């Protein structure tokens, strides 16, 4: 069954790219798009920076036609500012606006936003209502279980989402205090699904296509979201879709395909981020493309010491020479 939220129609058992600050920029999303995710999230942006039309911030949430459908995520803690930012974001044309209620990073939760809002549910309600009323497109929310293990309040939070007009929610079932420690507890997703009527997206620790199927089967969630594994394995969305539809998937990605996608990612990074920033951005990513090769560190040494795009491309094309 498709998942329909106004004009946004997602295929049966949608598989969604998570918002990841520092990763889900345009080049990354265009690479993911080749693998056919059902929906992709931008990196999150600070609502106050959006209001001040900070150039770097607005650039982060630019959308290209060919990557649709896309959700733009905002964070903040002042309801009026969040609503104003949402209106500006709506003009950029996303299919969905998402509100972050889960970020544990001190730069966000330390300033009263993200997961810090889970300590003040009346403020969560106010933010949701203001944002929902400010825009015409659907608004979703993404959250964690609560601040820490002694204050888990996810069941109250999801009720607030529902009552304030949020149209879809994503749960990463860890507390703020856990950050990324331990395992996400998918049992919460199953129990939440029983208690709400709006679409629920399950997130957390989906590493393999088998995990993806298990998340659907165990929890009954309406969709799943993948974050870190999309960075580590850019083919994951195709593998998951193949497994969900055909019961099998290719797990060994040939070196030729790894090189092709890496060069494409490099070229897109140069095109959209500029030569210098694009080159630096790729340094975070090479190991994911070639981690299966032995002695990857020699390849990294070689490619990191080079600043000429043509030469870098040539080094990627001949990766085997540097990894044996
Ligand atoms: C580097 C990084 C950046 C992230 N940035 C965001 C963000 O901007 N907004 C957000 O809601 N979650 C963010 N997250 C959390 C992910 O969206 C996701 O909820 C989390 O990684 C769990 O999913 P996973 O196990 O599939 O990675 C980030 C996670 C990582 C690792």
């Amino acid at each position: 069954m498709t998942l329909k939220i106004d004009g946004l129609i997602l295929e049966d058992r949608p598989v969604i790219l998570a918002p990841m600050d520092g990763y889900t920029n345009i080049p990354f999303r265009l690479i993911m798009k080749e693998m056919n995710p059902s929906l992709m999230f931008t990196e999150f942006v600070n609502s106050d920076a959006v209001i001040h039309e900070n150039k770097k911030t607005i650039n982060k949430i630019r959308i290209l036609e060919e990557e649709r459908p896309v959700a733009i995520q905002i964070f903040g803690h002042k309801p009026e500012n969040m609503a104003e930012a949402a209106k500006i974001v709506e003009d950029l044309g996303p299919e969905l606006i998402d509100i972050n209620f889960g970020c544990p990073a001190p730069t966000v939760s330390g300033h009263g936003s993200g997961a810090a809002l889970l300590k003040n549910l009346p403020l969560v309600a106010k933010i949701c209502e203001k944002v929902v009323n400010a825009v015409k497109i659907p608004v979703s929310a993404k959250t964690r279980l609560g601040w820490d293990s002694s204050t888990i309040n996810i069941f109250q939070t999801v009720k607030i989402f529902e009552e304030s007009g949020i149209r879809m929610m994503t749960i990463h079932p860890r507390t703020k205090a856990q950050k990324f420690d331990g395992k996400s507890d998918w049992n919460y997703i199953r129990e939440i699904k029983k208690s709400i009527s709006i679409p629920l997206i399950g997130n957390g620790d989906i590493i393999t296509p088998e995990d993806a199927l298990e998340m659907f089967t165990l929890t009954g969630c309406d969709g799943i979201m993948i974050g870190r594994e999309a960075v580590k394995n850019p083919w994951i969305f195709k593998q998951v879709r193949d497994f969900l539809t055909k019961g099998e998937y290719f797990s060994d990605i040939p070196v030729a395909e790894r090189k092709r996608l890496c060069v494409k990612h490099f070229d897109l990074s140069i095109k959209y981020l500029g030569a210098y920033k694009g080159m630096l951005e790729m340094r975070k990513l090479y190991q994911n493309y070639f981690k299966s090769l032995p002695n990857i560190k020699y390849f990294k040494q070689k490619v990191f010491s080079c600043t000429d795009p043509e030469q870098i491309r040539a080094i990627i094309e001949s990766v085997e020479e540097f990894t044996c």
Side-chain angles (χ1 to χ4, degrees), residues 17-24 41-45 73 75 98-104 142-144 170-174 179-180 184 203-207 225-231:
L17 172 66
M20 280 182 290
D21 187 39
Y23 286 95
T24 53
F41 277 59
T42 64
E43 305 170 81
F44 62 9
V45 283
Q73 193 190 56
F75 70 88
D98 190 79
I99 310 176
N100 181 297
F101 291 111
C103 183
K142 181 167 178 287
T143 192
R144 289 184 175 231
T170 305
I171 311 290
H172 173 200
R174 283 185 170 90
K179 295 180 186 141
F180 286 91
S184 57
N203 170 234
D205 304 317
I206 297 172
I207 311 287
M225 177 181 275
I226 301 177
R228 289 166 293 173
E229 192 57 23
V231 176

Side-chain angles (χ1 to χ4, degrees), residues 7-273:
L8 174 64
I9 300 171
L10 304 179
E11 66 201 307
D12 183 39
R13 293 194 285 185
V15 185
I16 298 170
L17 172 66
M20 280 182 290
D21 187 39
Y23 286 95
T24 53
N25 54 18
I26 285 182
F28 188 89
R29 297 199 304 268
L30 289 176
I31 289 295
M32 290 300 118
K33 189 70 184 174
E34 210 189 288
M35 307 302 155
N36 238 343
S38 313
L39 171 70
M40 298 193 286
F41 277 59
T42 64
E43 305 170 81
F44 62 9
V45 283
N46 184 331
S47 54
D48 291 344
V50 171
I51 292 172
H52 293 114
E53 306 211 341
N54 178 294
K55 216 175 136 207
K56 204 172 144 208
T57 301
I58 299 294
N59 221 11
K60 265 182 152 182
I61 49 177
R62 258 178 60 217
I63 297 171
L64 303 179
E65 275 311 305
E66 61 261 41
E67 50 169 326
R68 291 181 181 287
V70 172
I72 294 179
Q73 193 190 56
I74 56 175
F75 70 88
H77 61 276
K78 299 176 203 134
E80 268 77 23
N81 292 13
M82 290 288 276
E84 202 180 329
K87 280 189 206 157
I88 296 169
V89 165
E90 184 179 32
D91 286 342
L92 297 174
E95 276 68 22
L96 199 67
I97 292 177
D98 190 79
I99 310 176
N100 181 297
F101 291 111
C103 183
T107 46
V108 175
S109 67
H111 296 274
S113 304
L117 290 160
L118 301 180
K119 294 200 279 191
N120 186 350
L121 294 189
L123 187 53
V124 168
K126 224 178 240 169
I127 289 172
C128 291
E129 280 157 20
K130 282 275 179 198
V131 172
V132 166
N133 289 327
V135 295
K136 294 186 192 69
I137 59 173
V139 178
S140 58
K142 181 167 178 287
T143 192
R144 289 184 175 231
L145 297 179
W147 182 257
D148 61 22
S149 58
S150 64
T151 55
I152 288 177
N153 53 2
I154 186 66
F155 291 96
Q156 291 103 295
T157 308
V158 298
K159 274 279 160 261
I160 286 172
F161 288 163
E162 233 180 354
E163 285 162 10
S164 53
I166 293 293
R167 304 289 300 281
M168 179 178 99
M169 63 179 85
T170 305
I171 311 290
H172 173 200
R174 283 185 170 90
T175 63
K176 181 268 174 196
Q178 271 182 291
K179 295 180 186 141
F180 286 91
D181 292 344
K183 269 290 261 177
S184 57
D185 187 347
W186 294 0
N187 292 316
Y188 276 101
I189 297 175
R190 187 187 59 221
E191 293 310 308
I192 291 162
K193 177 63 194 162
K194 289 181 200 157
S195 77
I196 55 158
S197 58
I198 57 175
L200 173 63
I201 308 301
N203 170 234
D205 304 317
I206 297 172
I207 311 287
T208 64
E210 288 82 355
D211 294 338
L213 180 61
E214 195 190 337
M215 174 69 98
F216 278 115
T217 314
L218 179 82
T219 69
C221 65
D222 301 283
I224 60 171
M225 177 181 275
I226 301 177
R228 289 166 293 173
E229 192 57 23
V231 176
K232 291 189 195 141
N233 170 15
W235 294 269
I236 187 69
F237 286 97
K238 178 159 175 34
Q239 292 173 328
V240 168
R241 183 56 60 203
D242 283 350
F243 190 59
L244 292 178
T245 54
K246 299 182 228 154
E248 57 183 19
Y249 64 95
F250 61 97
S251 54
D252 290 329
I253 313 292
V255 178
E257 164 63 2
R258 292 178 177 277
K259 289 198 288 194
R260 180 195 68 80
L261 204 63
C262 185
V263 168
K264 181 174 172 182
H265 203 154
F266 178 79
D267 287 342
L268 288 168
S269 297
I270 300 288
K271 178 173 176 188
Y272 289 103
L273 307 177

